[in-house]
């Protein structure tokens, strides 16, 4: 194989996806810590962090339809048969690096988004009887609020478990498959040992994609602001 083929770079992750990813990592860590640690002032920040997470999740769902090529759900959601075929192929030494999310990774993205969406929405109705009452707790009964608080707590631990699996998968790909999944989420590009046809995303102007992302993010922020202040 020639050197030219060894260093093929494909632009995969746009700036909005990368900013979303790392912002969510930081916010979830803070939300989990503040939620388990408690304290009046810290819980206030916990709520603000939760509002931001909910905004980001709503944005990412919309970006799954209006984002650049590899950010769209249509590019990585597959049938159960495709997911199983992909997982089975991992034992094959000739397995090739997938551009964007692979079928199993695509499923994990959807599960993660749904869990985080549930976490954010239930947080709006929480009530711990001491320090915290969600901005929409008045819309449900006390018993319903307490039930949603329990669901909110349960989802937080489900997320910890799911994120742990995500980290293990990253380690597996790095150690066993010799594929670095973290670097592309920082640089936006993936290096392949084969030549690929130029895809539509490489011809998109980054500024247009970024501006579209900013508009969608502002709309999501406005929706969350309306929910917590006017419902």
């Amino acid at each position: 194989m020639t050197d030219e083929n060894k260093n093929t770079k494909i632009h995969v992750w746009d700036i909005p996806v990368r900013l979303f990813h790392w912002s969510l990592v930081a916010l979830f860590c803070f939300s989990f810590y503040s939620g388990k640690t408690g304290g009046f002032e810290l819980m206030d920040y916990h709520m603000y962090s939760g509002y931001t997470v909910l905004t980001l999740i709503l944005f990412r769902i919309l970006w799954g339809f209006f984002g650049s090529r590899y950010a769209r759900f249509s590019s990585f959601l597959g049938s159960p048969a495709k997911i199983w075929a992909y997982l089975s192929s991992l034992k094959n030494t000739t397995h090739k690096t997938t551009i964007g999310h692979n079928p199993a990774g695509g499923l994990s993205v959807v599960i993660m988004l749904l869990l985080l969406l549930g976490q954010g929405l239930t947080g709006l109705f929480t009530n711990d009887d001491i320090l915290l009452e969600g901005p929409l707790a008045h819309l449900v009964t006390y018993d319903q609020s307490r039930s949603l608080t329990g669901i909110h707590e349960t989802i937080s631990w489900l997320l910890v478990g799911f994120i742990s699996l995500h980290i293990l998968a990253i380690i597996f790909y790095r150690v066993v498959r010799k594929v670095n999944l973290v670097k592309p989420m920082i640089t936006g590009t993936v290096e392949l040992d084969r030549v690929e046809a130029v895809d539509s995303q490489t011809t998109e102007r980054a500024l247009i994609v970024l501006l579209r992302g900013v508009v969608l993010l502002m709309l999501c922020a406005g929706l969350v602001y309306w929910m917590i202040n006017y419902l």
Side-chain angles (χ1 to χ4, degrees):
M1 182 177 291
T2 66
D3 291 338
E4 181 182 359
N5 289 343
K6 291 180 180 178
N7 298 313
T8 303
K9 288 187 177 182
I10 303 294
H11 183 75
V12 177
W13 303 123
D14 55 49
I15 293 177
V17 164
R18 284 178 278 156
L19 290 177
F20 160 82
H21 182 274
W22 296 115
S23 297
L24 190 61
V25 169
L27 286 166
F28 177 79
C29 290
F30 175 78
S31 293
F32 185 82
Y33 170 79
S34 58
K36 304 308 177 187
T37 302
F40 183 76
E41 292 185 0
L42 200 57
M43 290 308 292
D44 278 346
Y45 289 115
H46 176 82
M47 293 294 290
Y48 295 139
S49 177
Y51 301 152
T52 308
V53 168
L54 182 57
T55 299
L56 289 176
I57 295 304
L58 292 175
F59 161 78
R60 184 60 183 92
I61 291 173
L62 288 176
W63 201 241
F65 296 98
F66 301 106
S68 55
R69 176 178 176 179
Y70 294 108
R72 296 176 186 173
F73 296 127
S74 59
S75 74
F76 59 80
L77 286 184
S79 64
K82 287 185 178 180
I83 295 172
W84 178 252
Y86 175 80
L87 292 174
S88 299
S89 73
L90 290 177
K91 61 186 178 183
N92 189 340
T93 57
T94 61
H95 173 80
K96 293 183 177 181
T97 301
T98 303
I99 303 176
H101 291 303
N102 59 59
L107 176 62
S108 70
V109 168
V110 173
I111 294 174
M112 186 81 74
L113 289 176
L114 291 176
L115 286 174
L116 286 165
L117 180 62
Q119 181 78 342
L121 291 177
T122 55
L124 300 177
F125 299 90
T126 53
N127 182 355
D128 66 358
D129 290 326
I130 303 174
L131 299 174
L132 182 68
E133 182 175 287
L136 302 186
H138 63 279
L139 296 178
V140 297
T141 66
Y142 173 79
D143 289 340
Q144 289 172 333
S145 177
R146 294 299 297 154
S147 295
L148 290 169
T149 302
I151 294 173
H152 186 74
E153 175 76 10
T154 300
I155 293 177
S156 70
W157 287 110
L158 288 175
L159 280 166
V160 169
F162 198 78
I163 291 169
S164 298
L165 289 175
H166 180 66
I167 294 173
L168 288 175
I170 290 174
I171 295 173
F172 167 79
Y173 275 91
R174 189 71 181 95
V175 175
V176 179
R177 304 304 311 175
K178 308 302 180 184
V179 176
N180 189 337
L181 297 179
V182 176
K183 185 178 178 180
M185 194 55 71
I186 297 174
T187 65
T189 60
V190 59
E191 295 185 11
L192 304 174
D193 58 359
R194 62 193 188 277
V195 175
E196 296 285 342
V198 176
D199 59 275
S200 61
Q201 186 175 339
T202 61
T203 62
E204 281 192 279
R205 289 180 296 173
L207 181 59
I208 293 177
V209 173
L210 181 59
L211 289 176
R212 189 162 71 236
V214 170
V215 171
L216 282 178
L217 182 62
M218 291 176 63
L219 289 174
C220 293
L223 175 60
V224 172
Y225 181 84
W226 174 79
M227 289 171 61
I228 64 178
N229 286 283
Y230 296 106
L231 282 182

